[in-house]
Amino acid sequence: MIHRQEVHAPGGPADPGTIPLAVPNIGQAERDAVLHAVESGFVSSVGPAVAAFEDEFARRVGARYAVACTSGTAAIHVALVLLGVGRGDDVLCADFTFVGSVNPIAYVGARPVLIDSEPGTWNLDPSLVAQELDHRARAGEPMPAAVEVVHVLGQPAQAAEILEICQRYDVPVIEDAAESLGAGWSGGALAGRQTGAVGRIGCFSFNGNKIVTAGGGGMIVTDDAHLAARARHLTTQAKVPDVGYLHDEVGFNYRLTNIAAALGLEQLRRLDEFVSAKQRIAARYDEKLKDLPLTTPPRVSGMDSTYWLYSLLLDDPDDRDPMLEHLAREGVGGRALWRPLHEQPPYREARTVGGAVSESLFRRGVSLPCSTSLHADEQQRVVDAVRSFHSR
Ligand SMILES: *Cc1c(COP(=O)(O)O)cnc(C)c1O
């Protein structure tokens, strides 16, 4: 979901008049680490930064093991293979998410079953998951091979409820935490836990638009030593160590490079700073826009959202495109939210449970600039632009 215009160094935008939606925040420590990796000769997928990144990442999210890979999409692909998901299987997945959540389900030949969001967190609705699993149990139909929970926009899903339902039917849960690094729970059954570290396998992304970037990259986390070892094996072409070119199954070239890991590790060390910045920006937007005919992002007690991509819901869906045009004219880089997966050409035939909430989020949603480096005066320009649209 990154646009070319957003990939530029802070302070050097192509069009200095436009406030970009979100740009990476790359500092001197990151530059030094990348240069060091280049000069060390460890440029590819062997090198000390990869293991260091994995170790620090596992500790940061509270998982026992972390395995670095080339993208968030690759992480989800490997997670599905690890769970033995394949042809003929169903996988329940959020309908309202970026397409990278669901494509790996198609890669392994399985069928996504698209489940609507609940309006409280904009994420997978536990009552619809329960309805689907209960229905299958009663009808004697096979259970899905996995349930994929996504924590969209930095907002934790109602994972405790979903984990409980899935446990009842012995269905493994994969978390797509690509957008929610640093988010977690401070209340309820998961208090003290981080998104991505509560399911069987958690998947993260370090694409340029995520809160921590490695240029590109992903991470697979789990508490299961066997799954972690197998993830490492699968991401490195299933090569058997110390035996000449022996590959004992079909593997992938999905290992993260040392250069990317060096960048990702230094970015990870700034995660708290980035989360604070996102939360500060969100609080300011909430305060300055609360009287307008719109809904600000979820604020749920016991759930600590990072507000990775600050997004509003306009009361009137007919306002969305005119609002985006108005913002563009005012030099503000706004963006619509995702079209629900059940409306995407490759997934139109997928079984869908509900769908009215995801459609409403898509038709009403507008994301606002929220780079961690956004200055207060720039943010005020965004606020003024949103307000002037409503006072037209
Ligand atoms: C970015 C993203 C992905 C894919 O990650 P990549 O690293 O871009 O492959 C998957 N799911 C969600 C929700 C994302 O935002």
Side-chain angles (χ1 to χ4, degrees), residues 1 70-76 97-102 104 148 150-153 176-179 203-210 216-218 308 338:
M1 48 182 292
T70 47
S71 71
T73 308
I76 298 167
T97 181
F98 177 61
V99 74
S101 299
V102 76
E148 183 181 333
V150 189
H151 308 282
V152 295
L153 307 169
D176 177 352
E179 300 178 1
C203 302
F204 293 86
S205 165
F206 311 114
N207 195 350
N209 60 350
K210 302 304 199 280
W308 162 68
W338 311 283

PDB file of all heavy atoms in Angstrom, residues 1 70-76 97-102 104 148 150-153 176-179 203-210 216-218 308 338, ligand 1:
ATOM      1  N   MET A   1       0.816  -1.196   0.000  1.00  0.00           N
ATOM      2  CA  MET A   1       0.000   0.000   0.000  1.00  0.00           C
ATOM      3  C   MET A   1       0.861   1.262   0.000  1.00  0.00           C
ATOM      4  O   MET A   1       0.432   2.325   0.382  1.00  0.00           O
ATOM      5  CB  MET A   1      -0.997   0.023   1.159  1.00  0.00           C
ATOM      6  CG  MET A   1      -0.411  -0.310   2.504  1.00  0.00           C
ATOM      7  SD  MET A   1      -1.676  -0.298   3.779  1.00  0.00           S
ATOM      8  CE  MET A   1      -2.078   1.428   3.855  1.00  0.00           C
ATOM      9  N   THR A  70      11.725 -12.491   3.931  1.00  0.00           N
ATOM     10  CA  THR A  70      11.818 -11.388   2.967  1.00  0.00           C
ATOM     11  C   THR A  70      10.638 -10.420   2.970  1.00  0.00           C
ATOM     12  O   THR A  70      10.754  -9.325   2.459  1.00  0.00           O
ATOM     13  CB  THR A  70      11.942 -11.948   1.531  1.00  0.00           C
ATOM     14  OG1 THR A  70      10.950 -12.975   1.375  1.00  0.00           O
ATOM     15  CG2 THR A  70      13.310 -12.525   1.274  1.00  0.00           C
ATOM     16  N   SER A  71       9.488 -10.823   3.495  1.00  0.00           N
ATOM     17  CA  SER A  71       8.335  -9.921   3.512  1.00  0.00           C
ATOM     18  C   SER A  71       7.278 -10.450   4.479  1.00  0.00           C
ATOM     19  O   SER A  71       7.340 -11.615   4.909  1.00  0.00           O
ATOM     20  CB  SER A  71       7.721  -9.785   2.107  1.00  0.00           C
ATOM     21  OG  SER A  71       7.069 -10.989   1.737  1.00  0.00           O
ATOM     22  N   GLY A  72       6.313  -9.605   4.756  1.00  0.00           N
ATOM     23  CA  GLY A  72       5.181 -10.044   5.572  1.00  0.00           C
ATOM     24  C   GLY A  72       4.357 -11.095   4.836  1.00  0.00           C
ATOM     25  O   GLY A  72       3.853 -12.051   5.438  1.00  0.00           O
ATOM     26  N   THR A  73       4.230 -10.912   3.531  1.00  0.00           N
ATOM     27  CA  THR A  73       3.478 -11.874   2.716  1.00  0.00           C
ATOM     28  C   THR A  73       4.157 -13.249   2.781  1.00  0.00           C
ATOM     29  O   THR A  73       3.491 -14.283   2.937  1.00  0.00           O
ATOM     30  CB  THR A  73       3.404 -11.377   1.260  1.00  0.00           C
ATOM     31  OG1 THR A  73       2.914 -10.033   1.272  1.00  0.00           O
ATOM     32  CG2 THR A  73       2.479 -12.227   0.418  1.00  0.00           C
ATOM     33  N   ALA A  74       5.491 -13.245   2.676  1.00  0.00           N
ATOM     34  CA  ALA A  74       6.252 -14.502   2.770  1.00  0.00           C
ATOM     35  C   ALA A  74       6.068 -15.134   4.149  1.00  0.00           C
ATOM     36  O   ALA A  74       5.939 -16.365   4.275  1.00  0.00           O
ATOM     37  CB  ALA A  74       7.735 -14.247   2.495  1.00  0.00           C
ATOM     38  N   ALA A  75       6.048 -14.301   5.197  1.00  0.00           N
ATOM     39  CA  ALA A  75       5.874 -14.814   6.563  1.00  0.00           C
ATOM     40  C   ALA A  75       4.537 -15.563   6.675  1.00  0.00           C
ATOM     41  O   ALA A  75       4.470 -16.661   7.240  1.00  0.00           O
ATOM     42  CB  ALA A  75       5.940 -13.669   7.567  1.00  0.00           C
ATOM     43  N   ILE A  76       3.485 -14.977   6.111  1.00  0.00           N
ATOM     44  CA  ILE A  76       2.155 -15.616   6.186  1.00  0.00           C
ATOM     45  C   ILE A  76       2.142 -16.895   5.348  1.00  0.00           C
ATOM     46  O   ILE A  76       1.581 -17.918   5.752  1.00  0.00           O
ATOM     47  CB  ILE A  76       1.054 -14.630   5.740  1.00  0.00           C
ATOM     48  CG1 ILE A  76       1.027 -13.411   6.674  1.00  0.00           C
ATOM     49  CG2 ILE A  76      -0.313 -15.315   5.717  1.00  0.00           C
ATOM     50  CD1 ILE A  76       0.196 -12.239   6.150  1.00  0.00           C
ATOM     51  N   THR A  97      -8.992  -5.958   5.195  1.00  0.00           N
ATOM     52  CA  THR A  97      -7.542  -5.932   5.395  1.00  0.00           C
ATOM     53  C   THR A  97      -6.877  -5.699   4.049  1.00  0.00           C
ATOM     54  O   THR A  97      -7.520  -5.730   2.998  1.00  0.00           O
ATOM     55  CB  THR A  97      -7.040  -7.247   6.032  1.00  0.00           C
ATOM     56  OG1 THR A  97      -5.619  -7.162   6.223  1.00  0.00           O
ATOM     57  CG2 THR A  97      -7.320  -8.468   5.163  1.00  0.00           C
ATOM     58  N   PHE A  98      -5.567  -5.478   4.109  1.00  0.00           N
ATOM     59  CA  PHE A  98      -4.751  -5.380   2.909  1.00  0.00           C
ATOM     60  C   PHE A  98      -4.659  -6.764   2.258  1.00  0.00           C
ATOM     61  O   PHE A  98      -4.644  -7.786   2.944  1.00  0.00           O
ATOM     62  CB  PHE A  98      -3.355  -4.872   3.315  1.00  0.00           C
ATOM     63  CG  PHE A  98      -2.384  -4.788   2.177  1.00  0.00           C
ATOM     64  CD1 PHE A  98      -2.617  -3.978   1.085  1.00  0.00           C
ATOM     65  CD2 PHE A  98      -1.200  -5.527   2.211  1.00  0.00           C
ATOM     66  CE1 PHE A  98      -1.709  -3.902   0.042  1.00  0.00           C
ATOM     67  CE2 PHE A  98      -0.291  -5.453   1.173  1.00  0.00           C
ATOM     68  CZ  PHE A  98      -0.542  -4.644   0.091  1.00  0.00           C
ATOM     69  N   VAL A  99      -4.579  -6.781   0.938  1.00  0.00           N
ATOM     70  CA  VAL A  99      -4.635  -8.038   0.186  1.00  0.00           C
ATOM     71  C   VAL A  99      -3.486  -8.994   0.537  1.00  0.00           C
ATOM     72  O   VAL A  99      -3.594 -10.205   0.351  1.00  0.00           O
ATOM     73  CB  VAL A  99      -4.693  -7.734  -1.334  1.00  0.00           C
ATOM     74  CG1 VAL A  99      -3.327  -7.262  -1.859  1.00  0.00           C
ATOM     75  CG2 VAL A  99      -5.224  -8.906  -2.132  1.00  0.00           C
ATOM     76  N   GLY A 100      -2.396  -8.444   1.072  1.00  0.00           N
ATOM     77  CA  GLY A 100      -1.261  -9.281   1.485  1.00  0.00           C
ATOM     78  C   GLY A 100      -1.630 -10.284   2.564  1.00  0.00           C
ATOM     79  O   GLY A 100      -0.937 -11.294   2.743  1.00  0.00           O
ATOM     80  N   SER A 101      -2.715 -10.031   3.298  1.00  0.00           N
ATOM     81  CA  SER A 101      -3.167 -10.987   4.318  1.00  0.00           C
ATOM     82  C   SER A 101      -3.672 -12.273   3.688  1.00  0.00           C
ATOM     83  O   SER A 101      -3.497 -13.359   4.241  1.00  0.00           O
ATOM     84  CB  SER A 101      -4.332 -10.399   5.133  1.00  0.00           C
ATOM     85  OG  SER A 101      -3.970  -9.235   5.808  1.00  0.00           O
ATOM     86  N   VAL A 102      -4.350 -12.156   2.554  1.00  0.00           N
ATOM     87  CA  VAL A 102      -5.115 -13.277   2.020  1.00  0.00           C
ATOM     88  C   VAL A 102      -4.418 -13.978   0.855  1.00  0.00           C
ATOM     89  O   VAL A 102      -4.618 -15.179   0.646  1.00  0.00           O
ATOM     90  CB  VAL A 102      -6.535 -12.803   1.620  1.00  0.00           C
ATOM     91  CG1 VAL A 102      -6.516 -12.013   0.323  1.00  0.00           C
ATOM     92  CG2 VAL A 102      -7.513 -13.944   1.535  1.00  0.00           C
ATOM     93  N   PRO A 104      -1.504 -15.255   0.440  1.00  0.00           N
ATOM     94  CA  PRO A 104      -0.807 -16.519   0.752  1.00  0.00           C
ATOM     95  C   PRO A 104      -1.755 -17.710   0.906  1.00  0.00           C
ATOM     96  O   PRO A 104      -1.343 -18.851   0.668  1.00  0.00           O
ATOM     97  CB  PRO A 104      -0.088 -16.213   2.078  1.00  0.00           C
ATOM     98  CG  PRO A 104       0.093 -14.730   2.069  1.00  0.00           C
ATOM     99  CD  PRO A 104      -1.132 -14.181   1.399  1.00  0.00           C
ATOM    100  N   GLU A 148      -7.046 -16.820  10.452  1.00  0.00           N
ATOM    101  CA  GLU A 148      -6.044 -15.758  10.380  1.00  0.00           C
ATOM    102  C   GLU A 148      -6.647 -14.463  10.914  1.00  0.00           C
ATOM    103  O   GLU A 148      -7.564 -13.895  10.325  1.00  0.00           O
ATOM    104  CB  GLU A 148      -5.568 -15.574   8.932  1.00  0.00           C
ATOM    105  CG  GLU A 148      -4.466 -14.528   8.814  1.00  0.00           C
ATOM    106  CD  GLU A 148      -3.994 -14.299   7.376  1.00  0.00           C
ATOM    107  OE1 GLU A 148      -4.104 -15.231   6.541  1.00  0.00           O
ATOM    108  OE2 GLU A 148      -3.529 -13.178   7.100  1.00  0.00           O
ATOM    109  N   VAL A 150      -6.200 -10.540  11.785  1.00  0.00           N
ATOM    110  CA  VAL A 150      -5.385  -9.390  11.393  1.00  0.00           C
ATOM    111  C   VAL A 150      -5.646  -8.276  12.404  1.00  0.00           C
ATOM    112  O   VAL A 150      -6.779  -8.090  12.848  1.00  0.00           O
ATOM    113  CB  VAL A 150      -5.758  -8.903   9.971  1.00  0.00           C
ATOM    114  CG1 VAL A 150      -4.755  -7.861   9.493  1.00  0.00           C
ATOM    115  CG2 VAL A 150      -5.828 -10.068   8.998  1.00  0.00           C
ATOM    116  N   HIS A 151      -4.598  -7.569  12.790  1.00  0.00           N
ATOM    117  CA  HIS A 151      -4.740  -6.404  13.675  1.00  0.00           C
ATOM    118  C   HIS A 151      -4.526  -5.170  12.786  1.00  0.00           C
ATOM    119  O   HIS A 151      -3.387  -4.749  12.578  1.00  0.00           O
ATOM    120  CB  HIS A 151      -3.708  -6.437  14.794  1.00  0.00           C
ATOM    121  CG  HIS A 151      -3.669  -7.734  15.560  1.00  0.00           C
ATOM    122  ND1 HIS A 151      -4.599  -8.063  16.514  1.00  0.00           N
ATOM    123  CD2 HIS A 151      -2.809  -8.787  15.511  1.00  0.00           C
ATOM    124  CE1 HIS A 151      -4.302  -9.249  17.036  1.00  0.00           C
ATOM    125  NE2 HIS A 151      -3.227  -9.714  16.429  1.00  0.00           N
ATOM    126  N   VAL A 152      -5.609  -4.625  12.238  1.00  0.00           N
ATOM    127  CA  VAL A 152      -5.437  -3.590  11.219  1.00  0.00           C
ATOM    128  C   VAL A 152      -5.104  -2.232  11.827  1.00  0.00           C
ATOM    129  O   VAL A 152      -5.578  -1.890  12.917  1.00  0.00           O
ATOM    130  CB  VAL A 152      -6.664  -3.443  10.278  1.00  0.00           C
ATOM    131  CG1 VAL A 152      -6.883  -4.699   9.443  1.00  0.00           C
ATOM    132  CG2 VAL A 152      -7.918  -3.035  11.015  1.00  0.00           C
ATOM    133  N   LEU A 153      -4.293  -1.477  11.102  1.00  0.00           N
ATOM    134  CA  LEU A 153      -4.021  -0.074  11.408  1.00  0.00           C
ATOM    135  C   LEU A 153      -3.386   0.146  12.783  1.00  0.00           C
ATOM    136  O   LEU A 153      -3.409   1.244  13.314  1.00  0.00           O
ATOM    137  CB  LEU A 153      -5.310   0.763  11.285  1.00  0.00           C
ATOM    138  CG  LEU A 153      -6.061   0.628   9.948  1.00  0.00           C
ATOM    139  CD1 LEU A 153      -7.436   1.279  10.039  1.00  0.00           C
ATOM    140  CD2 LEU A 153      -5.255   1.244   8.807  1.00  0.00           C
ATOM    141  N   ASP A 176      -1.793 -11.974  11.695  1.00  0.00           N
ATOM    142  CA  ASP A 176      -1.152 -11.052  10.770  1.00  0.00           C
ATOM    143  C   ASP A 176      -0.989  -9.739  11.534  1.00  0.00           C
ATOM    144  O   ASP A 176      -1.931  -8.957  11.655  1.00  0.00           O
ATOM    145  CB  ASP A 176      -2.006 -10.865   9.515  1.00  0.00           C
ATOM    146  CG  ASP A 176      -1.409  -9.840   8.553  1.00  0.00           C
ATOM    147  OD1 ASP A 176      -0.426  -9.168   8.924  1.00  0.00           O
ATOM    148  OD2 ASP A 176      -1.949  -9.700   7.433  1.00  0.00           O
ATOM    149  N   ALA A 177       0.227  -9.557  12.075  1.00  0.00           N
ATOM    150  CA  ALA A 177       0.532  -8.361  12.866  1.00  0.00           C
ATOM    151  C   ALA A 177       1.400  -7.391  12.066  1.00  0.00           C
ATOM    152  O   ALA A 177       2.160  -6.605  12.635  1.00  0.00           O
ATOM    153  CB  ALA A 177       1.211  -8.765  14.169  1.00  0.00           C
ATOM    154  N   ALA A 178       1.263  -7.452  10.743  1.00  0.00           N
ATOM    155  CA  ALA A 178       2.090  -6.620   9.858  1.00  0.00           C
ATOM    156  C   ALA A 178       1.951  -5.133  10.177  1.00  0.00           C
ATOM    157  O   ALA A 178       2.887  -4.362   9.991  1.00  0.00           O
ATOM    158  CB  ALA A 178       1.703  -6.871   8.397  1.00  0.00           C
ATOM    159  N   GLU A 179       0.759  -4.738  10.649  1.00  0.00           N
ATOM    160  CA  GLU A 179       0.514  -3.309  10.900  1.00  0.00           C
ATOM    161  C   GLU A 179       0.527  -2.975  12.388  1.00  0.00           C
ATOM    162  O   GLU A 179       0.238  -1.841  12.756  1.00  0.00           O
ATOM    163  CB  GLU A 179      -0.856  -2.935  10.315  1.00  0.00           C
ATOM    164  CG  GLU A 179      -0.904  -3.176   8.820  1.00  0.00           C
ATOM    165  CD  GLU A 179      -2.259  -2.865   8.218  1.00  0.00           C
ATOM    166  OE1 GLU A 179      -3.169  -2.433   8.951  1.00  0.00           O
ATOM    167  OE2 GLU A 179      -2.399  -3.059   7.000  1.00  0.00           O
ATOM    168  N   CYS A 203       2.925 -13.084  12.325  1.00  0.00           N
ATOM    169  CA  CYS A 203       3.636 -12.622  11.132  1.00  0.00           C
ATOM    170  C   CYS A 203       3.730 -11.104  11.150  1.00  0.00           C
ATOM    171  O   CYS A 203       2.741 -10.419  11.427  1.00  0.00           O
ATOM    172  CB  CYS A 203       2.905 -13.071   9.881  1.00  0.00           C
ATOM    173  SG  CYS A 203       2.708 -14.868   9.793  1.00  0.00           S
ATOM    174  N   PHE A 204       4.907 -10.588  10.842  1.00  0.00           N
ATOM    175  CA  PHE A 204       5.151  -9.145  10.825  1.00  0.00           C
ATOM    176  C   PHE A 204       5.748  -8.739   9.480  1.00  0.00           C
ATOM    177  O   PHE A 204       6.287  -9.576   8.763  1.00  0.00           O
ATOM    178  CB  PHE A 204       6.138  -8.766  11.936  1.00  0.00           C
ATOM    179  CG  PHE A 204       5.596  -8.962  13.326  1.00  0.00           C
ATOM    180  CD1 PHE A 204       5.689 -10.199  13.954  1.00  0.00           C
ATOM    181  CD2 PHE A 204       4.990  -7.909  13.997  1.00  0.00           C
ATOM    182  CE1 PHE A 204       5.191 -10.386  15.234  1.00  0.00           C
ATOM    183  CE2 PHE A 204       4.484  -8.088  15.283  1.00  0.00           C
ATOM    184  CZ  PHE A 204       4.591  -9.326  15.902  1.00  0.00           C
ATOM    185  N   SER A 205       5.658  -7.434   9.176  1.00  0.00           N
ATOM    186  CA  SER A 205       6.224  -6.889   7.938  1.00  0.00           C
ATOM    187  C   SER A 205       7.116  -5.696   8.250  1.00  0.00           C
ATOM    188  O   SER A 205       6.822  -4.917   9.161  1.00  0.00           O
ATOM    189  CB  SER A 205       5.089  -6.433   7.009  1.00  0.00           C
ATOM    190  OG  SER A 205       5.600  -5.603   5.973  1.00  0.00           O
ATOM    191  N   PHE A 206       8.187  -5.567   7.470  1.00  0.00           N
ATOM    192  CA  PHE A 206       9.068  -4.394   7.570  1.00  0.00           C
ATOM    193  C   PHE A 206       9.136  -3.658   6.246  1.00  0.00           C
ATOM    194  O   PHE A 206      10.179  -3.134   5.861  1.00  0.00           O
ATOM    195  CB  PHE A 206      10.469  -4.825   8.037  1.00  0.00           C
ATOM    196  CG  PHE A 206      10.435  -5.709   9.242  1.00  0.00           C
ATOM    197  CD1 PHE A 206      10.852  -7.030   9.162  1.00  0.00           C
ATOM    198  CD2 PHE A 206       9.945  -5.235  10.453  1.00  0.00           C
ATOM    199  CE1 PHE A 206      10.798  -7.867  10.272  1.00  0.00           C
ATOM    200  CE2 PHE A 206       9.885  -6.059  11.567  1.00  0.00           C
ATOM    201  CZ  PHE A 206      10.309  -7.375  11.469  1.00  0.00           C
ATOM    202  N   ASN A 207       8.005  -3.634   5.546  1.00  0.00           N
ATOM    203  CA  ASN A 207       7.902  -2.850   4.313  1.00  0.00           C
ATOM    204  C   ASN A 207       8.142  -1.373   4.660  1.00  0.00           C
ATOM    205  O   ASN A 207       8.070  -0.991   5.827  1.00  0.00           O
ATOM    206  CB  ASN A 207       6.490  -3.062   3.736  1.00  0.00           C
ATOM    207  CG  ASN A 207       6.403  -2.607   2.303  1.00  0.00           C
ATOM    208  OD1 ASN A 207       7.311  -1.974   1.768  1.00  0.00           O
ATOM    209  ND2 ASN A 207       5.299  -2.911   1.653  1.00  0.00           N
ATOM    210  N   GLY A 208       8.375  -0.573   3.648  1.00  0.00           N
ATOM    211  CA  GLY A 208       8.708   0.837   3.877  1.00  0.00           C
ATOM    212  C   GLY A 208       7.620   1.641   4.545  1.00  0.00           C
ATOM    213  O   GLY A 208       7.889   2.691   5.125  1.00  0.00           O
ATOM    214  N   ASN A 209       6.373   1.170   4.475  1.00  0.00           N
ATOM    215  CA  ASN A 209       5.268   1.932   5.076  1.00  0.00           C
ATOM    216  C   ASN A 209       4.929   1.458   6.486  1.00  0.00           C
ATOM    217  O   ASN A 209       4.046   2.023   7.123  1.00  0.00           O
ATOM    218  CB  ASN A 209       4.029   1.826   4.178  1.00  0.00           C
ATOM    219  CG  ASN A 209       3.565   0.386   3.987  1.00  0.00           C
ATOM    220  OD1 ASN A 209       4.257  -0.550   4.361  1.00  0.00           O
ATOM    221  ND2 ASN A 209       2.398   0.214   3.410  1.00  0.00           N
ATOM    222  N   LYS A 210       5.599   0.432   7.002  1.00  0.00           N
ATOM    223  CA  LYS A 210       5.262  -0.082   8.333  1.00  0.00           C
ATOM    224  C   LYS A 210       5.977   0.720   9.418  1.00  0.00           C
ATOM    225  O   LYS A 210       6.862   1.512   9.131  1.00  0.00           O
ATOM    226  CB  LYS A 210       5.602  -1.576   8.415  1.00  0.00           C
ATOM    227  CG  LYS A 210       4.891  -2.438   7.358  1.00  0.00           C
ATOM    228  CD  LYS A 210       3.375  -2.291   7.382  1.00  0.00           C
ATOM    229  CE  LYS A 210       2.630  -3.424   6.706  1.00  0.00           C
ATOM    230  NZ  LYS A 210       2.559  -3.353   5.239  1.00  0.00           N
ATOM    231  N   GLY A 216      12.420  -3.746   3.214  1.00  0.00           N
ATOM    232  CA  GLY A 216      11.431  -4.798   2.979  1.00  0.00           C
ATOM    233  C   GLY A 216      11.830  -5.929   3.903  1.00  0.00           C
ATOM    234  O   GLY A 216      13.005  -6.059   4.244  1.00  0.00           O
ATOM    235  N   GLY A 217      10.885  -6.722   4.309  1.00  0.00           N
ATOM    236  CA  GLY A 217      11.226  -7.843   5.177  1.00  0.00           C
ATOM    237  C   GLY A 217      10.028  -8.293   5.978  1.00  0.00           C
ATOM    238  O   GLY A 217       8.960  -7.679   5.929  1.00  0.00           O
ATOM    239  N   GLY A 218      10.199  -9.400   6.668  1.00  0.00           N
ATOM    240  CA  GLY A 218       9.126  -9.926   7.504  1.00  0.00           C
ATOM    241  C   GLY A 218       9.695 -10.732   8.647  1.00  0.00           C
ATOM    242  O   GLY A 218      10.906 -10.994   8.690  1.00  0.00           O
ATOM    243  N   TRP A 308      -1.009   3.175  13.944  1.00  0.00           N
ATOM    244  CA  TRP A 308       0.014   3.136  12.893  1.00  0.00           C
ATOM    245  C   TRP A 308      -0.385   3.984  11.680  1.00  0.00           C
ATOM    246  O   TRP A 308       0.438   4.714  11.120  1.00  0.00           O
ATOM    247  CB  TRP A 308       0.246   1.686  12.450  1.00  0.00           C
ATOM    248  CG  TRP A 308       0.935   1.576  11.136  1.00  0.00           C
ATOM    249  CD1 TRP A 308       2.226   1.926  10.859  1.00  0.00           C
ATOM    250  CD2 TRP A 308       0.367   1.133   9.903  1.00  0.00           C
ATOM    251  NE1 TRP A 308       2.501   1.718   9.533  1.00  0.00           N
ATOM    252  CE2 TRP A 308       1.376   1.231   8.916  1.00  0.00           C
ATOM    253  CE3 TRP A 308      -0.889   0.649   9.535  1.00  0.00           C
ATOM    254  CZ2 TRP A 308       1.167   0.872   7.593  1.00  0.00           C
ATOM    255  CZ3 TRP A 308      -1.094   0.293   8.220  1.00  0.00           C
ATOM    256  CH2 TRP A 308      -0.074   0.406   7.264  1.00  0.00           C
ATOM    257  N   TRP A 338      -9.018   0.178   2.703  1.00  0.00           N
ATOM    258  CA  TRP A 338      -9.064  -0.925   1.726  1.00  0.00           C
ATOM    259  C   TRP A 338     -10.479  -1.282   1.313  1.00  0.00           C
ATOM    260  O   TRP A 338     -11.385  -1.377   2.136  1.00  0.00           O
ATOM    261  CB  TRP A 338      -8.444  -2.199   2.292  1.00  0.00           C
ATOM    262  CG  TRP A 338      -7.122  -2.010   2.912  1.00  0.00           C
ATOM    263  CD1 TRP A 338      -5.920  -1.853   2.270  1.00  0.00           C
ATOM    264  CD2 TRP A 338      -6.845  -1.948   4.310  1.00  0.00           C
ATOM    265  NE1 TRP A 338      -4.932  -1.707   3.183  1.00  0.00           N
ATOM    266  CE2 TRP A 338      -5.468  -1.759   4.438  1.00  0.00           C
ATOM    267  CE3 TRP A 338      -7.625  -2.043   5.456  1.00  0.00           C
ATOM    268  CZ2 TRP A 338      -4.844  -1.658   5.667  1.00  0.00           C
ATOM    269  CZ3 TRP A 338      -7.013  -1.940   6.686  1.00  0.00           C
ATOM    270  CH2 TRP A 338      -5.646  -1.744   6.784  1.00  0.00           C
TER     271      TRP A 338
HETATM  272  C1  LIG B   1       1.899  -4.876   4.652  1.00  0.00           C
HETATM  273  C2  LIG B   1       0.945  -5.941   4.998  1.00  0.00           C
HETATM  274  C3  LIG B   1       1.146  -7.276   4.622  1.00  0.00           C
HETATM  275  C4  LIG B   1       2.239  -7.710   3.702  1.00  0.00           C
HETATM  276  O1  LIG B   1       3.521  -7.365   4.111  1.00  0.00           O
HETATM  277  P1  LIG B   1       4.650  -7.184   2.971  1.00  0.00           P
HETATM  278  O2  LIG B   1       5.909  -7.089   3.785  1.00  0.00           O
HETATM  279  O3  LIG B   1       4.326  -5.941   2.240  1.00  0.00           O
HETATM  280  O4  LIG B   1       4.628  -8.396   2.132  1.00  0.00           O
HETATM  281  C5  LIG B   1       0.253  -8.227   5.048  1.00  0.00           C
HETATM  282  N1  LIG B   1      -0.801  -7.902   5.795  1.00  0.00           N
HETATM  283  C6  LIG B   1      -1.046  -6.640   6.173  1.00  0.00           C
HETATM  284  C7  LIG B   1      -2.229  -6.361   7.026  1.00  0.00           C
HETATM  285  C8  LIG B   1      -0.203  -5.606   5.767  1.00  0.00           C
HETATM  286  O5  LIG B   1      -0.463  -4.342   6.097  1.00  0.00           O
END
